[in-house]
Amino acid sequence: MKPLIVANWKCNPTTLEKAKALLNSIKKGVKNIKNIEVVICPPFIYLPILKTNGAQDVFCENAGAYTGQVSPLMLKNMGVEYVIAGHSERRKYQKETDEIIAKKIIAALKNGLKPILCVDKISQLNFVVKEIDNWKLKIENLVIAYEPLFAIGTGKACSLEKAKEMRLAIKNKVGAQTRILYGGSVNSRNAKEFISKAGFQGLLVGGASLNPKEFIDIIKIVC
Ligand code: PGA
């Protein structure tokens, strides 16, 4: 399976022009790279224009009286393939619980999207795994990103030993069919080892994905 590199732009950039320029630079840089899967998750407002394959969040219902929400069916109809769910910033600022996140994951899977569940501890997996089982959905369409809180946006990535230990613990819960990514202060200097030494099947990149040269370097180093 090809390594999966996901760009999470978070609440950036602040204009459509800058978003277009960032995407164009990334596209140019990775044009000839085939053996890697790249997912770009911009803010929702840019999605219909940029037509990228990823989104940063998803709601748990397809339609209805839910002001401000973006549904999995809308994203699917927009051509999106992957959606991040349960990012630690949403757990913190939007007070999302494991129950809410599990509903989002189920709704995404039912709509044929591939959710990327972010966790920083194993207990955050339990609810989701149980629900996927209850609904008899395919766990291989789930992607998990191990993102230790201390490493997100701090410039201090997780040690390879700890990251590998967590990857193996997650694999024990979900089986070998589910891809497991590492996220948290990934850059072009540490990217390779999370794949080659800690055994992850891809990376979730925040800050470094806003710098096209750095993000392209990460992709080139990994492939
Ligand atoms: P970072 O963010 O790469 O800036 O640490 C990762 C993330 O929050 O997904």
Side-chain angles (χ1 to χ4, degrees), residues 48-64:
I49 296 132
L50 302 186
K51 300 200 182 311
T52 57
N53 54 354
Q56 294 177 21
D57 186 38
V58 63
F59 187 50
C60 59
E61 299 288 343
N62 277 345

Side-chain angles (χ1 to χ4, degrees), residues 10 87-89 120 146-159 162-163 182-187 190 194 204 206-207:
K10 307 192 180 183
H87 191 281
S88 63
E89 286 149 14
D120 92 312
Y146 169 54
E147 295 215 307
L149 280 182
F150 64 82
I152 297 178
T154 59
K156 294 191 181 84
C158 188
S159 71
K162 168 79 183 158
Y182 169 78
S185 295
V186 170
N187 58 42
N190 61 24
F194 282 107
L204 178 45

Side-chain angles (χ1 to χ4, degrees), residues 56-189:
Q56 294 177 21
D57 186 38
V58 63
F59 187 50
C60 59
E61 299 288 343
N62 277 345
Y66 305 105
T67 303
Q69 299 289 3
V70 178
S71 88
L73 183 56
M74 292 171 187
L75 292 171
K76 183 72 186 173
N77 289 338
M78 192 63 66
V80 167
E81 191 180 355
Y82 289 89
V83 291
I84 297 172
H87 191 281
S88 63
E89 286 149 14
R90 294 200 61 89
R91 293 179 192 262
K92 182 175 172 188
Y93 300 120
Q94 273 72 40
K95 307 278 179 272
E96 289 190 3
T97 60
D98 287 342
E99 289 83 351
I100 291 172
I101 294 158
K103 280 189 185 166
K104 292 182 171 200
I105 299 276
I106 297 302
L109 286 170
K110 281 187 184 172
N111 280 282
L113 294 165
K114 294 174 188 157
I116 302 167
L117 168 67
C118 302
V119 299
D120 92 312
K121 45 181 173 292
I122 292 291
S123 62
Q124 292 172 340
L125 263 179
N126 295 339
F127 227 83
V128 171
V129 173
K130 211 169 75 202
E131 285 298 294
I132 290 178
D133 210 44
N134 284 345
W135 286 97
K136 301 199 180 343
L137 292 162
K138 286 189 179 150
I139 196 135
E140 57 264 39
N141 289 333
L142 176 71
V143 178
I144 295 171
Y146 169 54
E147 295 215 307
L149 280 182
F150 64 82
I152 297 178
T154 59
K156 294 191 181 84
C158 188
S159 71
L160 292 177
E161 298 71 37
K162 168 79 183 158
K164 185 173 179 184
E165 187 187 312
M166 281 301 293
R167 182 182 66 77
L168 292 172
I170 293 169
K171 190 176 159 196
N172 248 338
K173 280 258 168 203
V174 295
Q177 327 91 297
T178 299
R179 284 174 291 178
I180 306 172
L181 318 182
Y182 169 78
S185 295
V186 170
N187 58 42
S188 59
R189 294 173 304 287

Side-chain angles (χ1 to χ4, degrees), residues 37-56:
E37 203 176 345
V38 179
V39 175
I40 309 281
C41 305
F44 279 137
I45 193 166
Y46 303 138
L47 254 179
I49 296 132
L50 302 186
K51 300 200 182 311
T52 57
N53 54 354
Q56 294 177 21

